[in-house]
């Protein structure tokens, strides 16, 4: 028979097989004081792909994202058990330098948070912090990072202007450029488009498709259609547990778990 | 907790319209074959006039479904429900057209006595009527087994059609003047056979709706 519907990918596997794993989480529990926020999480995240975390508020998706560059360290009484391995390193071992980790694992937040500095200095901030002083080298990094963040053409003539002179969508891309300037391997995006207008959102969505050729992207989103549009894998969380992890096409066309189906079709949550 | 009540109601409306289309198509087939058997031209003309209503139902389904895709952004089975409604509506519309084609044969045969008493064509129509009924039932109940069972009947329909062709051929051999009527009756057999293929398509849509896989029930 012939149909006019788009062919969903029919896969037997539940884990991605074409990619190399970069993040490997094994039996991870996280507690905020006595609150058990993440329960026995097991997850392998593939390199150079977009992985989306979805789930209702309070399901643990942002908490998990923040464990990947140890942002939770700043929250008192946080306890983590189990293994979070990134590119072969247990990131919670005592030898790990958190600053080095955060260079490797960059993050972009819901609200664009440029520094009160010029556009140039925002992007050059990280490289300078890591010891790069050569002007020509910094210029090169700033240009490349802004190009990768699809912002260069809009700002190349105003690099000395304050970052606050940019629109919200431009500020968010500036934050992406700032994260890319230190040459990370992984880019975490926590609701990075939820404060943006539709056009800026589309720009960032397109950007992720470019960036995934070079970086691993892990994103939290409340917009399920965004997850369906731009991610390769999707993880559905509920009450601190991973309910389902699958190819995005599969998860949004034929989810295996009833709870996933109920959530994505808007029947609860 | 049940949410999206209006969305669910609209999906229910799509099913109701499809079921209505199914009932009308079934009736159109039965009545057109009956009018052929009795050579009732007036009745055949009535059937032809009713086609517009069936087309309207298909348009209603397209309108409701498109609006739901636009406003509700359905995913997973919700999306399949709408895609399948489009496809089934288009199959039913074609089945309706084919029944009309049978009625048109009745009009063209006006004033000509039938060269033989019709036995196999009504028999074939009866099987196909049951296939239509079962295909819609399978859709209503999301019954994959019934969809497969219904599609199996298509083999019998194909066999009967082959037999009708061979029988009719004899009438041309006996008297070449029979050729034009034989050709028209042959068309009728072909139309009914095509209706059965569309019923099988509905079965495939049911399987796709329930399982997200696309089997070929025609093979």
């Amino acid at each position: 028979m012939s149909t006019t519907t788009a062919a969903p990918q029919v896969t037997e596997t539940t884990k991605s097989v074409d990619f190399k794993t970069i993040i490997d989480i094994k039996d991870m529990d996280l507690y905020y004081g006595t609150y058990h926020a993440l329960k026995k999480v097991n997850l392998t995240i593939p390199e150079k792909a977009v992985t989306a975390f979805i789930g209702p508020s309070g399901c643990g998706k942002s908490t998990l994202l923040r464990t990947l560059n140890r942002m939770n360290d700043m929250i008192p009484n946080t306890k983590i058990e189990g293994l979070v391995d990134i590119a072969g390193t247990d990131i919670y071992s005592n030898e790990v330098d958190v600053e080095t980790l955060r260079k490797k694992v960059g993050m972009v937040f819901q609200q664009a948070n440029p520094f009160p500095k010029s556009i140039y200095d925002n992007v050059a901030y990280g490289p300078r912090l890591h010891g790069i002083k050569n002007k020509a080298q910094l210029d090169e990094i700033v240009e490349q990072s802004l190009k990768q963040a699809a912002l260069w053409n809009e700002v190349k003539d105003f690099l000395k202007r304050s970052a606050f002179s940019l629109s919200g969508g431009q500020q968010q891309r500036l934050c992406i450029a700032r994260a890319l300037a230190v040459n990370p391997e992984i880019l975490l995006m926590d609701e990075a488009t939820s404060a943006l207008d539709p056009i800026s959102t589309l720009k960032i969505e397109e950007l992720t498709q470019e960036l995934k050729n070079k970086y691993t992207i892990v994103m939290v989103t409340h917009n399920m259609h965004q997850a369906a549009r731009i991610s390769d894998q999707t993880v559905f969380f509920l009450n601190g547990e991973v309910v389902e992890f699958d190819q995005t096409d599969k998860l949004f066309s034929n989810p295996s778990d009833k709870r996933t189906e109920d959530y994505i079709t808007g029947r609860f949550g | 907790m049940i949410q999206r009540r209006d969305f669910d109601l609209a999906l229910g409306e799509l099913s109701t319209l499809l079921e209505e289309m199914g009932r009308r198509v079934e009736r159109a087939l039965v009545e057109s074959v009956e009018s052929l058997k009795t050579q009732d031209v007036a009745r055949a003309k009535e059937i032809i006039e009713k086609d517009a209503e069936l087309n309207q139902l298909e348009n209603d389904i397209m309108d409701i479904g498109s609006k739901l895709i636009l406003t509700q952004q359905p995913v997973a089975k919700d999306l399949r429900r709408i895609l399948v409604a489009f496809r089934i509506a288009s199959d039913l519309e074609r089945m309706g057209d084919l029944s009309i084609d049978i009625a048109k044969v009745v009009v063209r045969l006006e004033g000509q006595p039938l060269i033989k008493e019709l036995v196999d064509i009504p028999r074939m129509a009866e099987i196909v009527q049951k296939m239509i009924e079962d295909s819609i039932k399978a859709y209503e109940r999301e019954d994959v087994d019934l969809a497969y069972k219904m599609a199996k009947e298509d083999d019998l329909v194909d066999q009967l059609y082959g037999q009708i062709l061979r029988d009719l051929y004899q009438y041309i051999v006996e008297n070449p003047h029979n050729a034009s009527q034989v050709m028209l009756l042959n068309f009728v057999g072909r139309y009914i056979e095509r209706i059965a293929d569309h019923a099988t398509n509905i079965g495939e849509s049911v399987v796709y709706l329930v399982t997200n896989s696309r089997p070929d029930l025609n093979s």
Side-chain angles (χ1 to χ4, degrees):
Chain A
M1 90 190 231
S2 68
T3 78
T4 54
T5 62
Q9 215 170 330
V10 180
T11 54
E12 290 303 315
T13 58
T14 54
K15 300 286 185 292
S16 111
V17 284
D18 303 336
F19 298 96
K20 201 177 128 199
T21 295
I22 185 163
I23 302 172
D24 192 3
I25 301 167
K26 284 207 174 85
D27 292 331
M28 197 201 76
D29 288 87
L30 183 142
Y31 301 83
Y32 292 131
T34 55
Y35 179 65
H36 199 173
L38 289 171
K39 298 162 192 164
K40 282 270 166 294
V41 172
N42 284 286
L43 208 54
T44 54
I45 294 178
E47 187 181 58
K48 291 179 184 162
V50 179
T51 300
F53 292 176
I54 62 167
S57 296
C59 68
K61 58 190 187 299
S62 288
T63 298
L64 183 64
L65 193 76
R66 285 198 291 263
T67 60
L68 301 178
N69 68 347
R70 293 187 52 172
M71 293 289 284
N72 289 320
D73 288 12
M74 298 172 196
I75 301 169
N77 298 321
T78 304
K79 191 175 82 181
I80 290 178
E81 291 166 357
L83 177 73
V84 183
D85 182 299
I86 293 183
T89 306
D90 172 3
I91 62 164
Y92 283 90
S93 81
N94 291 331
E95 296 96 66
V96 167
D97 170 49
V98 177
E99 263 190 39
T100 312
L101 171 71
R102 290 192 190 139
K103 181 172 176 290
K104 198 153 82 174
V105 187
M107 193 162 194
V108 180
F109 299 88
Q110 179 173 355
Q111 285 296 335
N113 55 351
F115 301 136
K117 293 169 180 287
S118 70
I119 294 167
Y120 184 98
D121 287 341
N122 261 276
V123 184
Y125 183 86
R128 280 184 181 133
L129 201 69
H130 290 101
I132 298 175
K133 299 226 162 48
N134 180 298
K135 173 81 169 67
Q137 205 183 343
L138 281 173
D139 286 353
E140 172 68 19
I141 291 172
V142 169
E143 182 174 339
Q144 281 313 312
S145 305
L146 286 168
K147 276 183 175 162
Q148 282 188 66
L151 189 59
W152 175 250
N153 287 337
E154 290 159 60
V155 301
K156 62 182 179 205
D157 299 325
F158 320 105
L159 292 174
K160 296 291 167 200
R161 276 194 198 165
S162 162
F164 294 132
S165 68
L166 299 173
S167 74
Q170 288 173 325
Q171 287 188 17
Q172 193 61 299
R173 278 178 285 147
L174 179 66
C175 292
I176 292 175
R178 190 176 65 190
L180 299 180
V182 293
N183 201 20
E185 287 174 38
I186 298 169
L187 191 59
L188 308 177
M189 301 175 88
D190 192 357
E191 287 279 344
T193 63
S194 62
L196 300 182
D197 66 276
I199 302 294
S200 303
T201 299
L202 278 180
K203 275 195 181 144
I204 298 215
E205 287 185 2
E206 276 173 16
L207 183 56
T208 58
Q209 302 307 295
E210 291 290 318
L211 293 176
K212 75 173 185 182
N213 295 318
K214 209 171 158 208
Y215 307 96
T216 300
I217 296 175
V218 187
M219 56 184 276
V220 162
T221 179
H222 274 126
N223 181 341
M224 271 179 308
H225 292 90
Q226 179 172 71
R229 271 195 300 276
I230 65 174
S231 72
D232 301 293
Q233 284 73 225
T234 299
V235 189
F236 171 57
F237 291 83
L238 190 63
N239 301 326
E241 287 176 62
V242 171
V243 171
E244 188 161 348
F245 173 35
D246 213 329
Q247 303 289 337
T248 296
D249 285 346
K250 164 79 168 58
L251 191 132
F252 282 98
S253 56
N254 201 24
S256 311
D257 195 291
K258 178 79 172 63
R259 292 167 294 175
T260 313
E261 169 126 28
D262 285 348
Y263 181 71
I264 63 170
T265 59
R267 294 314 192 286
F268 94 101
Chain B
M1 189 200 328
I2 302 290
Q3 288 184 8
R4 305 190 81 170
R5 198 171 146 265
D6 291 349
F7 180 41
D8 286 337
L9 284 174
L11 288 175
E13 200 183 339
L14 280 181
S15 305
T16 307
L17 289 172
L18 281 176
E19 286 153 31
E20 176 61 23
M21 277 188 91
R23 268 191 299 277
R24 281 170 187 253
V25 166
E26 212 184 306
R27 216 180 308 138
L29 171 66
V30 171
E31 290 192 2
S32 62
V33 172
E34 191 59 36
S35 71
L36 176 67
K37 237 169 93 179
T38 56
Q39 294 202 282
D40 186 341
V41 176
R43 197 172 173 191
K45 284 181 175 164
E46 266 174 49
I47 297 164
I48 294 167
E49 274 167 27
K50 277 191 187 160
D51 188 42
E53 294 169 23
L54 197 66
N55 294 346
Q56 186 54 50
L57 281 169
E58 189 199 10
N59 290 341
D60 291 347
I61 287 168
M62 298 302 285
D63 289 346
I64 295 172
S66 316
K67 195 173 165 205
L68 288 178
I69 288 177
L70 181 68
T71 57
Q72 301 285 341
Q73 301 187 311
V75 295
K77 201 173 178 186
D78 287 341
L79 179 59
R80 288 203 296 282
R81 262 182 226 288
I82 298 169
L83 298 176
V84 154
F86 288 165
R87 187 167 151 77
I88 294 180
S90 132
D91 277 317
L92 286 169
E93 192 272 335
R94 282 299 299 142
M95 291 155 92
D97 285 349
L98 290 161
S99 303
I100 302 296
D101 288 338
I102 299 172
K104 284 180 180 165
V105 167
V106 179
V107 176
R108 287 182 68 176
L109 285 174
E110 187 169 12
Q112 282 183 47
L114 291 174
I115 51 171
K116 68 185 284 278
E117 195 193 344
L118 301 180
V119 179
D120 287 331
I121 286 179
R123 218 180 118 207
M124 191 175 163
E126 211 174 293
I127 296 167
V128 175
Q129 181 206 344
K130 181 80 167 61
M131 284 177 74
I132 302 171
E133 189 189 326
D134 283 350
S135 68
I136 296 298
K137 212 182 271 176
Y139 166 75
E140 283 170 8
R141 299 177 187 169
E142 298 188 6
D143 187 339
V144 171
D145 292 341
L146 182 58
Y148 274 100
K149 200 171 141 251
M150 176 275 302
K152 269 244 147 297
E153 295 293 303
D154 195 36
D155 297 343
L156 188 54
V157 172
D158 290 344
Q159 264 177 36
L160 266 174
Y161 179 49
Q163 194 178 312
I164 288 168
L165 280 185
R166 283 189 297 276
D167 287 356
L168 285 171
Y169 182 68
Q170 288 306 316
Y171 284 86
I172 302 183
V173 175
E174 279 170 23
N175 180 356
H177 287 108
N178 287 337
S180 76
Q181 189 176 131
V182 162
M183 195 181 68
L184 288 173
L185 292 176
N186 167 21
F187 281 164
V188 171
R190 174 73 181 151
Y191 298 148
I192 300 172
E193 188 267 335
R194 290 296 302 145
I195 293 175
D197 288 345
H198 284 287
T200 306
N201 283 353
I202 296 177
E204 288 175 350
S205 293
V206 172
V207 177
Y208 172 63
L209 171 65
V210 178
T211 66
N212 192 46
S213 65
R214 295 194 185 86
D216 184 0
L217 268 57
N218 276 315
S219 60

